[in-house]
Each structure stands twice: as structure tokens, then as C-alpha cells.
Amino acid sequence: MRHQNKTETNHGDGDGVITLKNVIKKFGSKVVLDNVSLTVEKGKTTVIIGPSGCGKTVLIKHLILLLRPTSGEVYFKGDRIDNLRERRLSEVRTLYGFLFQGGALFDSLSVFENIIFPLRQHHRINDWKQVEDLVKSKLAMVGLDGYQNYYPANLSGGQRKRVALARAIALNPEVILYDEPTTGLDPIRADIINELILKLQRELNVTSVVVTHDMTSAYKVADRIVMLHNGKIIADGDAEYIRNHPNPIVQHFIKGQVDDDDLAVLRMSGTISQAQFLPRDFEQ
Amino acid sequence: MIIGTVGARTVGGVNNMGRFARFSWQSMIASFRSCLNPDTYPLIWTQMNIIGVRSVPVVMITGAFVGMTLAVQAYDQLAGMGLEEHLGVLINISVVKELGPVLAAVMLAGRIGGALTAELGTMNVTEQIDAIRSMGTDPIRYLAAPRVLACLLLTPFLIIYADLMGIVGGYFVSVVQLDINSRAYWSFSASGVELWDVSIGVVKGLFFGVAIAVISCYKGFTCKEGAHGVGQACTEAFVASFISILALDFALAVIFKSIYNTFWPLKSLV
């Protein structure tokens, strides 16, 4: 909980680029984020880990205010942004890049058109040669130069994520948010994405926030790891700190082990042969 | 327990109405701003092609069958009274004032509304709408406004096509098949159908077009996850559009009747 103490007194000043202060998010009566305070430090890669359904994606969407908190405050570079109107917030969002879990590329647009989308929205394009060079350089950064005329449907899952990453960096953002960047990819493709995250941080000196439950990826890219469980931060520190964390929930998660309670429930619920109904059982 | 359920549903319904009203308002503002911004014209043009141009055949077929069916159904009633030459008035006034606009709008709600909801709903569940917002663009301005404007501008024209085909269909059955005198058919039609009647149908199209577009976009934007969510949103969009068309038709009929009755005495002065 090292960083949490710091967060409570930090309102986005100092090294903090984004600060969440006592954020609570409810969907109906379900509390998804329970009084979360977090400061994302400038130029560092913060990785948020946690089991599926613990609120990681909801948390990362609060950093860019795609979701607004039920209560609590969000600061960007010291300015409170959770109370801004959508129009003003749009200007702030141009300083972010967001890599969505499935890429979220626009199906009807080519790779080239996807990448220039944010440029066209915020700049009047007069020099198309310059734009072509820019797209080429962004695609080269993710190793996909030459794919300008492809459509998302013609790309593999890993390629889609890399194109989405090229689009996310099109406006040279100060912060890049990655939502499950390696989910659904084979280990080699996942490592390519990890290397890209490191490369972008190194070359563009951006602040990165990565949401994942892939511990290989987390250890590789993280300057700091924050673990979320049932909407609360239960561990916060560097990779070494997390590896040696005394909390059994953290240990079970990072080692990928089911805990004793869940195991007991599984053992109580009968054997596989008792529960198995094959099609032939119905045919008889 | 029952009171709690009723209360929760009421609160949910009111919340939903509030969200829809807010979305509608934002869509109208965004549409107005888009009219003033030439950069958005290509988006509007694309939607006009998808929504308007490609709907012409189905709307024309709808109109033609409306006119033809009216002729077949009404002939026996009028012929019994020896008034078959008045068939044109009945067909044409029904087509231009009520059936043409309403059935063309219902056809559009099915064709366009379903497509808009499915497209935007899929974009919503695959986080493409969030992606637009994350890049600092207002998705209502980028996605909803061009569709609302395309529907607003083109539904009246599509209704004119439906009216024309309804008139032609009615004429074909009445004159060619039922052997009514062509000159008498047109003469009675011209005396019975005023420019006012045609205008009502076209003006209704503006309201129907906006209702179809806003409802379909809203259902797409608020679509729940999964194939079931998209399917449900499409069904809800069509049902809501259909009911809105009928409700608007009734409300506009009452309003236009009042206007007509108020200004009718002045016509002789003009």
C-alpha cells in the first residue's frame, strides 16, 4: 500500500499525471469501485492487475472519463476533470491514447483511414503527403508499414491490436491506456505487444497504464503494479514488492492458483462423471 | 414486494425517458451544428445515399401497392352508389394525406431503423463508440447527427415518391382494370385534392424521419452486450419507431386540422 498513502495527499501535482481520489462507482446497487485512490506517475508504466470482473476495465475507463464516478474526484495534471462537460473533456482526451481490448477499429474504414481518424477530427488536413508519411511512421513503429490499404477484417487479432496502437499514438498522446493488450493473443504475439509497450514508453516517453491479468506481461512492462480485488486496491508496489506480498489473495492471483475456498466448492459439487450428459444419453 | 417492483420499474422508465430526451436534444443540437460545418457534409452525403437513395425502390413499391389496393377495395362501395368516377378523390386523398406518409415511414423504420440500430449497436458492443469518445470526438456529432439529418431531409422526398407511385397505382387499377373514365378520374381528383393535403403528408415526413433516426440511434447507442442485445435493440427500435409514427400521425392530424379550420375562412379573402 506504499503508493496509496501518497495518493491521498496528491491531487495531481508533483509526478502524478492522473489522480483518482476516493472514487466510488456503482452500477445500480452493485459497487464496482469502492473508494479507490490512485496516482499515475509521469513517464512510468503502471500495471493494474486483478481477477476478471474485479473492476479493472471500469477503473481504466475512469482515468479517461469514459465512465464518470458515482462519487469521488479525477484529476489530470492537477486539474479536476470529472466535473467537466463532455465538450471540454473532449479536448483533454486528445492528450490520451487508448488501446481497447478488441482494438475497436472501425470496420468500414481501412487501416490508413483508421489511423488518420483522430487527425481528421482535430486538424484540417491540407498536406496529404505529410499525413501519408505520418501514417507510415506510426505503422512502422508497430511493425505494420505496408498495411495501409487493408481493412480490419483482413487482419489477425495481433495485427488489429497493433493497428489500434498506431491509431492510439496518432496524436502523440502524453498518456497511453492499454485495456488487456495481450488477451486473446498467443505468447509470441503477446510478447510483441509487450515489446511495443516498452518501445513506446522508451521512445515517446509517455505515461502508460496497462490493465491485464497476464502476469508475464505485467512483470515485463511494469514500473509499478497495482492489484485490484472486489473494487479495492489491495496491493501497490514494484514487481518485487508484489512477488513477495504477504496477502494470500495476491499470492494466489500472481501464481495462478485457485484458493482453498474455491477448491472446496469445486470438490463439493460432485464428480465430472456425475455431471456429464453426453448426446447419446438423450438419443437413447 | 409488488410495490417495490412497480416503483423500481417506474423509476427505471422515467430514467430511460430522461436519457432519451437528453439524447434527442443533443442529437438535434449536433445536427444543427453539422449543418453549419462543411467538414461534416461528406458524412451526411454518405448517409443520404445509404438511407435515402437505397430506400427509393422499397418506398415506391409500398406506395404503388397502397394505391392499387385502395382502388380494388373502394370500387365496389362507390360503384354501388354510382359514384365510381369519384374513386380518384378517395384514393389520392388517402394516399397523399395518410397512407402514403405513414406506410412509407413504417417501411423506412423497418429498413433504415433496423440497419441503423444494428450498425450502431455493434459499434457500441465492440467499443467503437467508446473509441470515438476516447479520441476526443463526440460520437453523437460524428454518428447520430449525419443519420438524423439524412432522415430529416430525405423522408419527405421518399414520401413524395410513395405518393406518386400510389397515385399511379390507383390510376392503373381504376382506369385500366376497372375501366373508369380517365378524364373524369383526374377531374374529380383535381377538385378534391388540394395542395394543403399534399403538404401535410410531406411535412409529416420531417417528423417521421427525425423520430425514426433519433429512436434508432438511441437504441444503438444504449444497446446491451452480445448478439441478443443487438437483436433486442433492433426489435425495440422498430416497435418504438412504429408507435411513434402512429402517435405523431395522430397528433399532427389534430394540429393540421385545427390550423386548416382556423385559416380556411381566410382563404376566400386571399
Side-chain angles (χ1 to χ4, degrees):
Chain A
M1 296 284 180
R2 302 183 302 169
H3 293 275
Q4 268 207 294
N5 292 333
K6 188 178 167 188
T7 301
E8 280 158 17
T9 53
N10 186 340
H11 290 225
D13 48 357
D15 283 343
V17 178
I18 310 169
T19 301
L20 300 185
K21 192 162 178 277
N22 305 119
V23 166
I24 296 173
K25 180 64 180 178
K26 292 180 184 174
F27 291 108
S29 58
K30 185 176 167 57
V31 180
V32 180
L33 294 180
D34 190 359
N35 208 24
V36 170
S37 295
L38 174 74
T39 297
V40 175
E41 291 166 25
K42 189 174 183 193
K44 297 280 169 64
T45 300
T46 303
V47 174
I48 298 165
I49 59 169
S52 300
C54 72
K56 300 189 297 292
T57 298
V58 172
L59 176 61
I60 203 171
K61 286 189 174 177
H62 275 78
L63 299 178
I64 190 171
L65 285 168
L66 291 177
L67 291 172
R68 289 185 188 251
T70 308
S71 71
E73 294 157 13
V74 183
Y75 294 86
F76 180 73
K77 295 209 268 186
D79 296 323
R80 190 170 172 190
I81 56 170
D82 61 281
N83 53 3
L84 294 179
R85 294 171 73 91
E86 200 66 17
R87 183 174 267 263
R88 176 75 187 82
L89 207 49
S90 295
E91 294 167 23
V92 178
R93 288 190 184 123
T94 58
L95 302 171
Y96 288 74
F98 198 126
L99 176 64
F100 287 85
Q101 194 171 342
L105 293 174
F106 306 127
D107 313 320
S108 55
L109 304 182
S110 67
V111 166
F112 180 84
E113 289 165 329
N114 263 286
I115 294 171
I116 65 164
F117 179 87
L119 295 168
R120 290 184 89 159
Q121 295 302 308
H122 301 288
H123 303 283
R124 186 174 288 275
I125 297 173
N126 296 318
D127 186 354
W128 279 95
K129 178 76 181 69
Q130 198 182 357
V131 172
E132 281 168 18
D133 290 344
L134 184 103
V135 171
K136 192 177 168 66
S137 73
K138 299 293 178 191
L139 280 173
M141 283 192 89
V142 297
L144 286 176
D145 183 22
Y147 283 73
Q148 280 86 334
N149 295 325
Y150 281 62
Y151 278 80
N154 307 122
L155 301 174
S156 69
Q159 286 172 331
R160 263 182 237 162
K161 287 204 176 176
R162 283 151 70 188
V163 171
L165 193 51
R167 185 180 67 180
I169 58 174
L171 290 176
N172 297 325
E174 294 178 25
V175 179
I176 304 180
L177 309 176
Y178 302 86
D179 186 11
E180 308 267 12
T182 58
T183 299
L185 301 181
D186 65 62
I188 306 289
R189 301 286 183 279
D191 202 43
I192 290 172
I193 298 289
N194 293 334
E195 289 294 340
L196 278 172
I197 294 170
L198 291 170
K199 182 182 173 186
L200 290 176
Q201 207 224 342
R202 206 167 46 234
E203 293 181 7
L204 305 177
N205 194 30
V206 290
T207 304
S208 305
V209 180
V210 181
V211 156
T212 188
H213 47 224
D214 173 358
M215 287 313 298
T216 310
S217 171
Y219 288 139
K220 182 156 188 172
V221 302
D223 292 311
R224 171 191 175 196
I225 299 176
V226 175
M227 177 152 176
L228 206 61
H229 184 73
N230 288 339
K232 286 179 186 286
I233 291 175
I234 59 166
D236 183 352
D238 59 21
E240 201 52 38
Y241 174 78
I242 294 293
R243 271 198 187 97
N244 301 314
H245 202 282
N247 189 334
I249 295 172
V250 177
Q251 286 303 317
H252 282 302
F253 181 79
I254 63 174
K255 289 174 182 166
Q257 292 172 334
V258 62
D259 66 28
D260 294 340
D261 292 342
D262 287 338
L263 211 53
V265 171
L266 282 175
R267 284 177 180 151
M268 293 270 289
S269 58
T271 62
I272 289 173
S273 59
Q274 283 172 324
Q276 203 170 35
F277 288 97
L278 299 173
R280 64 173 176 271
D281 296 325
F282 296 100
E283 285 165 10
Q284 285 166 0
Chain B
M1 181 72 179
I2 296 169
I3 293 172
T5 309
V6 171
R9 286 194 178 174
T10 307
V11 170
V14 171
N15 273 339
N16 208 16
M17 285 298 291
R19 277 196 291 271
F20 176 68
R22 190 184 158 96
F23 180 87
S24 304
W25 175 248
Q26 288 173 334
S27 299
M28 300 318 286
I29 297 287
S31 301
F32 179 71
R33 288 201 177 121
S34 294
C35 288
L36 306 176
N37 181 7
D39 288 345
T40 61
Y41 292 172
L43 291 173
I44 300 168
W45 188 251
T46 305
Q47 291 304 320
M48 285 173 96
N49 183 34
I50 295 168
I51 289 169
V53 177
R54 293 186 196 170
S55 299
V56 169
V58 285
V59 163
M60 288 176 81
I61 291 167
T62 307
F65 278 107
V66 167
M68 288 158 72
T69 310
L70 270 175
V72 171
Q73 294 285 5
Y75 177 77
D76 289 341
Q77 316 289 325
L78 294 178
M81 296 180 280
L83 296 171
E84 63 271 22
E85 287 181 343
H86 289 73
L87 194 56
V89 186
L90 191 145
I91 293 169
N92 293 331
I93 207 156
S94 305
V95 165
V96 299
K97 217 170 167 181
E98 281 300 328
L99 292 175
V102 170
L103 291 179
V106 169
M107 178 54 84
L108 288 175
R111 204 197 88 81
I112 300 167
L116 287 186
T117 308
E119 184 188 6
L120 296 178
T122 307
M123 288 185 78
N124 188 28
V125 298
T126 54
E127 295 186 304
Q128 291 178 50
I129 292 180
D130 271 348
I132 291 171
R133 288 175 71 207
S134 76
M135 288 183 274
T137 299
D138 176 10
I140 293 180
R141 180 179 68 75
Y142 182 74
L143 295 173
R147 288 162 173 80
V148 171
L149 278 171
C151 283
L152 170 75
L153 297 172
L154 290 187
T155 308
F157 287 100
L158 291 169
I159 284 174
I160 291 171
Y161 277 113
D163 289 350
L164 278 173
M165 287 307 292
I167 291 165
V168 171
Y171 173 82
F172 175 78
V173 172
S174 305
V175 175
V176 178
Q177 289 199 321
L178 301 172
D179 210 22
I180 293 170
N181 181 278
S182 173
R183 191 182 173 87
Y185 181 90
W186 285 124
S187 168
F188 282 116
S189 294
S191 64
V193 182
E194 298 176 356
L195 180 62
W196 172 258
D197 300 316
V198 180
S199 307
I200 286 174
V202 175
V203 172
K204 277 179 183 175
L206 296 170
F207 290 88
F208 295 162
V210 170
I212 293 167
V214 172
I215 289 169
S216 305
C217 290
Y218 175 74
K219 288 292 177 189
F221 270 64
T222 55
C223 167
K224 294 194 181 93
E225 287 197 4
H228 177 69
V230 176
Q232 193 182 359
C234 290
T235 307
E236 287 174 4
F238 179 71
V239 172
S241 298
F242 189 30
I243 291 171
S244 301
I245 288 164
L246 296 180
L248 277 170
D249 188 48
F250 172 72
L252 291 170
V254 172
I255 292 166
F256 285 128
K257 192 174 167 63
S258 308
I259 293 171
Y260 186 78
N261 289 341
T262 306
F263 291 103
W264 174 249
L266 301 176
K267 192 184 173 189
S268 56
L269 297 175
V270 175

